[in-house]
Amino acid sequence: MGVRLNSDRRRLEVAQRILAKGVQVVVIASDHINHIVLTPEQIWEASAPGLEIVSRVGVGDAMIGGMAFVLAKGGAIDEAIRLGMAASIAVARKVENRIESRQEVSNSLIGYS
């Protein structure tokens, strides 16, 4: 987009420009488990304050993957954000940046709303 994404304000500006081009969902994923999700109608901030992060590697990818899984099946955006966050949390809780099972993601849903 021709700009440095060196502040939250800049990231949101660019996300809005992407939405203006017709994209339906923009995700600003962060390795700090503080993700921003934008649609033409709404903006969500998804975070896990107080989470003890073991590794930051792959948490943004897990967020995107969880969301894509739900959206590809026709699920709602809030459901997609919830599963994306659960996947992100599951990855952050361990040294290896992979999810071993659905149960691991389900366990991460506990306490997150």
Side-chain angles (χ1 to χ4, degrees), residues 21-105:
K21 293 183 178 291
V23 173
Q24 294 300 303
V25 178
V26 175
V27 180
I28 304 170
S30 163
D31 64 354
H32 297 285
I33 310 191
N34 183 24
H35 311 299
I36 309 288
V37 180
L38 299 92
T39 66
E41 298 81 30
Q42 202 163 357
I43 298 174
W44 292 266
E45 182 177 10
S47 62
L51 175 69
E52 184 178 334
I53 298 173
V54 175
S55 174
R56 297 180 191 284
V57 176
V59 297
D61 295 336
M63 176 68 175
I64 301 295
M67 288 187 66
F69 179 79
V70 172
L71 295 173
K73 293 180 172 242
I77 189 74
D78 58 336
E79 179 187 353
I81 294 168
R82 190 163 187 249
L83 185 65
M85 278 301 293
S88 193
I89 290 166
V91 168
R93 286 182 170 162
K94 51 199 249 178
V95 174
E96 316 84 39
N97 64 339
R98 67 177 185 256
I99 297 171
E100 301 291 334
S101 68
R102 287 181 186 215
Q103 187 61 43
E104 187 177 347
V105 174

Side-chain angles (χ1 to χ4, degrees), residues 5 10-20 26 28 38:
L5 300 178
R10 282 283 174 105
R11 285 187 273 284
L12 289 172
E13 287 172 1
V14 169
Q16 293 290 351
R17 287 172 49 194
I18 293 169
L19 287 173
V26 175
I28 304 170
L38 299 92

